[in-house]
Amino acid sequence: QERLVQSGGGSVQAGGSLKLSCDASRYTYSRDCMGWFRQAPGKEREGVAFIYNDGDSTLYADSVKGRFTISQDNAKNTLYLQMNSLKPEDTAMYYCAAKTWNGYSPFDSRAYNSWSQGTQVTVSS
């Protein structure tokens, strides 16, 4: 699997903001969709936000709607996640992922054939 390269993350107080970036230049398949997932200790990996290549339509988990914004710069093959109004429950390892066309929902991690190394986001109260 080609590895996506992620940057950003860190620690912030509740109400603060962070931005994640993901370099997809080494993903050689035709991209259908890219997205962000997160996994907190003891919990399953959760789909957070997704963006399609054909017109930039987006999807968000209910838990982040209105606070997180996913975007992409196709010229730079870079995916972003702007996270505002962060809450302690947003604390998790965050991963970006890319997929080609298949029958899986974008919220299903099985849909993706390339992942980043992940970065930690910690929100303190």
Side-chain angles (χ1 to χ4, degrees):
Q1 293 181 354
E2 292 81 355
R3 173 65 65 88
L4 308 179
V5 181
Q6 184 177 336
S7 60
S11 298
V12 67
Q13 289 192 326
S17 298
L18 287 172
K19 187 172 185 176
L20 305 179
S21 300
C22 177
D23 177 3
S25 59
R26 286 184 284 177
Y27 187 78
T28 58
Y29 299 97
S30 293
R31 284 203 309 267
D32 165 43
C33 174
M34 292 192 67
W36 294 95
F37 287 78
R38 65 187 181 187
Q39 188 165 19
K43 294 188 176 181
E44 292 188 355
R45 190 167 292 192
E46 172 192 22
V48 174
F50 306 93
I51 187 165
Y52 284 90
N53 269 25
D54 60 347
D56 290 345
S57 57
T58 57
L59 295 169
Y60 294 93
D62 288 344
S63 57
V64 306
K65 278 181 183 176
R67 300 188 298 120
F68 289 14
T69 302
I70 188 171
S71 62
Q72 61 186 353
D73 182 335
N74 287 326
K76 297 182 179 180
N77 280 306
T78 305
L79 179 73
Y80 303 100
L81 184 68
Q82 177 67 46
M83 303 182 290
N84 298 329
S85 302
L86 282 161
K87 304 176 180 179
E89 50 264 44
D90 294 319
T91 295
M93 281 289 286
Y94 282 70
Y95 302 87
C96 63
K99 76 177 192 69
T100 187
W101 285 267
N102 57 48
Y104 290 105
S105 160
F107 285 91
D108 190 336
S109 61
R110 296 173 297 175
Y112 297 84
N113 61 350
S114 187
W115 292 84
S116 66
Q117 78 280 19
T119 55
Q120 179 68 35
V121 170
T122 302
V123 184
S124 58
S125 56

